[in-house]
Amino acid sequence: MIHNQADWNARQRQIHEQIAQSGEVRISELSERYGVTEMTIRRDLEKLEEGGTVRRTFGGAIYVYRDVALQDRTGLYMDEKVRIGRQAASLIASGESVFLDGGTTTLQIARALRSGQQITVVTNALNIAAELASKQIPTIMTGGMLLESTHSLVGPIAAQSLSGMAFDRVFLGATGLSEAHGFSNSNLYEAEIKRIAIRQARETTVVLDRTKFGARVLVSFAGLADVNRIVTDLPPDGELARACTEAGVRIEVAE
């Protein structure tokens, strides 16, 4: 059972989500990423360990109970993700072909779609497919190797399936967004699927909440100029906002 999440601060919540995504973290990397001392990160990890899904190791921490990873992440910034999902869903027009990749925010897009909406959705996420099936929305699954932590299908079969499709709109989640590293994700297999989806898309939208701004996660799957739109709960500021504007990325803030 998960305890004490309400007591976590914003940095601790983001660290927890990173651990849930990648399976493990290093104290030195977290210290550099957040600009705090390693002692502060150790205290953060100690706090997260009390929640029951993180175990500290020498020099870092690992994720345990990976079968509840998606459920645990779903509770983080839920109101923001719901608003982002509704905003993104409103962009989809009748007759369009759409790709939704796995993730807690992209799941909210599926939940915001109208029952019987006349679109075709392709997804590599089991939970998104189940949501769409309950709404009688035509849905195609990619097939592939199952990642338990995200309920996503990845690998060569998923990649080959996507490579033969064309999409009007693609909606992707991201774990990080920075000027130099672009849009990033902690899983190599998921990043591959995102790259292929972008290549096959007429328009690409990345959905992410404000905690991802400035984060540089393991794998960059797209540069700023590769994405047409960001839907978020608060706009980025400073250099990142200017970089997005210069790259032609449209930023939409969900109401």
Side-chain angles (χ1 to χ4, degrees), residues 125-172:
L126 299 180
N127 55 344
I128 289 177
E131 179 72 27
L132 296 171
S134 71
K135 293 174 177 284
Q136 292 81 49
I137 293 176
T139 304
I140 299 171
M141 291 208 69
T142 62
M145 177 181 68
L146 177 63
L147 288 180
E148 291 184 14
S149 59
T150 60
H151 294 179
S152 297
L153 300 171
V154 296
I157 295 174
Q160 182 179 9
S161 177
L162 281 181
S163 295
M165 299 182 183
F167 306 107
D168 295 303
R169 299 184 191 275
V170 162
F171 295 91
L172 307 173

Side-chain angles (χ1 to χ4, degrees), residues 72-104:
D72 189 45
R73 290 198 307 278
T74 300
L76 301 177
Y77 297 95
M78 176 54 68
D79 291 342
E80 291 85 349
K81 291 176 181 179
V82 169
R83 288 191 282 113
I84 292 168
R86 288 173 180 167
Q87 177 74 17
S90 72
L91 301 171
I92 301 173
S94 179
E96 289 188 333
S97 57
V98 177
F99 177 75
L100 297 178
D101 83 332
T104 55

Side-chain angles (χ1 to χ4, degrees), residues 45-67:
L45 295 178
E46 182 178 359
K47 185 76 171 180
L48 297 181
E49 190 174 45
E50 296 174 0
T53 58
V54 171
R55 184 168 70 244
R56 286 177 294 162
T57 62
F58 181 77
I62 62 173
Y63 200 76
V64 295
Y65 303 132
R66 292 185 63 84
D67 57 322

